[in-house]
């Protein structure tokens, strides 16, 4: 019996939901409200001591870290394989998934929080997070409240534009990131392009037609609809769109699209 602890709009959770859907694996989904602090409840911390989503429980096996969870699912449930057999192709796939942990996830967090999500935090939630995470949290949050003037914003947005450009180059070889096969690499990137879409930053695709076509192919999959689109939180989308549109002139200028 598989159980996934997740959150509807969390990019890391979306990655695992898409993997479960591609592998047609039935599971129980337990949704955590990250703004209410469900991820810090003691019973959840016993599963995931970092207090983050997702966490997969497979009977007595507990797996954390979305990249590890997806590899586990593909190893433990070999039907509908999502990893190339050839070692060189497999290495290529892992090069893509590693970029996310190294820099794309942190850059996405900086951009999403600076542009939109910091507006969702009430003073009470901020007090609670500061209590949980220590006094340094308030200073870090103050940077996010600066929006596009956050000193970390420029590097983060440039990293995400580089991701789009890198994908465009790789997609010269075939419809998916490692070539002909749809793999865990494609699954890993779907939530990140979706996030740029929700922030209305898809002008990034104007000079990257192969990445644009990849996103269309991805969105037309039934698994994307079920695992991502059908679960987008309607409370988040208008905020992301409104604040993203306000930020776009600055974003465009930072990546040289103005
Ligand atoms: N490297 C981890 C990152 C997990 C992570 O930070 N998840 C975010 C959502 S995408 C989270 O739970 N944030 C809640 C918090 O930090 O309190 C993974 O890929 O699973």
């Amino acid at each position: 019996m598989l159980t996934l602890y997740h959150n509807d709009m969390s990019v890391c959770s979306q990655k695992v939901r898409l993997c479960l859907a591609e592998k047609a694996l039935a599971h129980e989904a337990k949704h955590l409200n990250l703004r209410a602090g469900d991820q810090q409840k003691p019973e959840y911390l016993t599963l995931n001591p970092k207090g983050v989503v997702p966490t997969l429980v497979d009977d007595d096996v507990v797996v954390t870290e979305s990249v590890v969870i997806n590899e586990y699912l593909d190893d433990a449930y070999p039907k509908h394989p999502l990893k190339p057999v050839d070692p060189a192709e497999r290495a290529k796939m892992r090069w893509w998934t590693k970029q996310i942990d190294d820099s794309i996830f942190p850059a996405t967090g900086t951009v999403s929080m600076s542009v939109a999500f910091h507006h969702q935090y009430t003073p009470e939630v901020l007090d609670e997070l500061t209590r949980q995470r220590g006094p340094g949290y308030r200073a870090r949050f103050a940077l996010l409240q600066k929006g596009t003037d956050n000193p970390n914003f420029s590097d983060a947005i440039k990293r995400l534009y580089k991701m789009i450009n890198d994908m465009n180059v790789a997609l010269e070889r075939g419809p998916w990131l490692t070539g002909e096969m749809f793999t865990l690499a494609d699954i890993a990137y779907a939530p990140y392009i979706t996030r740029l879409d929700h922030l209305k930053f898809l002008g990034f695709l104007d000079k990257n037609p192969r990445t644009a076509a990849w996103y269309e192919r991805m969105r037309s999959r039934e698994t994307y609809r079920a695992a991502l689109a059908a679960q987008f939180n309607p409370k988040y989308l208008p905020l992301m769109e409104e604040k993203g549109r306000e930020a776009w002139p600055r974003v465009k200028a930072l990546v040289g699209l103005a």
Side-chain angles (χ1 to χ4, degrees):
M1 173 64 190
L2 291 167
T3 304
L4 180 70
Y5 294 79
H6 74 122
N7 170 268
D8 44 18
M9 294 301 279
S10 134
V11 279
C12 313
S13 303
Q14 289 171 341
K15 198 181 7 172
V16 175
R17 294 205 304 266
L18 189 52
C19 183
L20 286 162
E22 286 287 342
K23 297 191 73 69
L25 288 170
H27 62 281
E28 186 186 357
K30 291 191 187 276
H31 187 264
L32 274 68
N33 181 340
L34 301 180
R35 299 293 179 261
D38 289 353
Q39 71 277 30
Q40 293 293 337
K41 291 196 174 142
E43 61 272 25
Y44 184 68
L45 292 175
T46 61
L47 295 174
N48 188 322
K50 280 191 182 169
V52 292
V53 286
T55 301
L56 181 83
V57 180
D58 186 5
D59 289 329
D60 56 351
V61 179
V62 178
V63 193
T64 61
E65 292 294 333
S66 57
V67 68
V68 180
I69 295 172
N70 281 0
E71 292 254 5
Y72 169 82
L73 287 170
D74 203 49
D75 291 338
Y77 299 92
K79 205 170 162 198
H80 308 300
L82 292 165
K83 289 198 297 288
V85 174
D86 176 66
E89 295 293 304
R90 194 171 279 202
K92 207 176 291 164
M93 180 204 88
R94 292 198 172 118
W95 181 87
W96 283 103
T97 58
K98 186 175 188 321
Q99 304 304 308
I100 291 187
D101 284 341
D102 285 354
S103 52
I104 293 171
F105 173 69
T108 299
T110 299
V111 167
S112 306
M113 286 291 284
S114 302
V115 171
F117 293 162
H118 75 83
H119 294 284
Q120 296 174 320
Y121 288 71
T122 61
E124 294 72 33
V125 170
L126 193 51
D127 285 347
E128 177 56 20
L129 285 169
T130 307
R131 191 189 61 74
Q132 286 167 3
R133 296 174 189 194
Y137 187 78
R138 206 173 280 280
R140 293 200 298 280
F141 195 82
L143 289 183
L144 300 170
Q145 287 175 307
K146 289 179 184 284
T148 57
D149 291 329
N150 174 350
N152 303 317
F153 188 79
S154 167
D155 282 353
I157 206 75
K158 286 177 186 160
R159 178 64 189 94
L160 298 185
Y161 193 49
K162 179 178 176 341
M163 166 186 79
I164 297 285
N165 291 319
D166 288 348
M167 291 174 73
N168 199 58
V169 172
L171 290 163
E172 225 172 323
R173 300 175 59 246
W176 303 110
L177 287 173
T178 57
E180 291 302 320
M181 185 182 175
F182 180 89
T183 71
L184 292 178
D186 301 287
I187 288 177
Y189 281 73
Y192 292 90
I193 314 302
T194 300
R195 176 59 55 84
L196 294 176
D197 188 0
H198 287 163
L199 291 168
K200 301 296 157 202
F201 294 168
L202 283 195
F204 279 13
L205 299 178
D206 288 353
K207 292 185 179 160
N208 291 287
R210 285 185 292 271
T211 311
W214 174 93
Y215 185 46
E216 281 315 309
R217 276 192 293 282
M218 178 63 76
R219 285 205 302 176
S220 65
R221 292 174 91 83
E222 170 53 24
T223 52
Y224 179 96
R225 194 206 57 75
L228 271 76
Q231 301 187 45
F232 292 150
N233 186 329
K235 285 195 189 136
Y236 279 49
L237 300 182
L239 175 76
M240 294 166 86
E241 173 163 357
E242 180 199 335
K243 299 297 173 188
R245 287 198 194 282
E246 282 170 24
W248 176 242
R250 173 94 181 111
V251 168
K252 204 163 78 160
L254 282 171
V255 299
L257 280 174

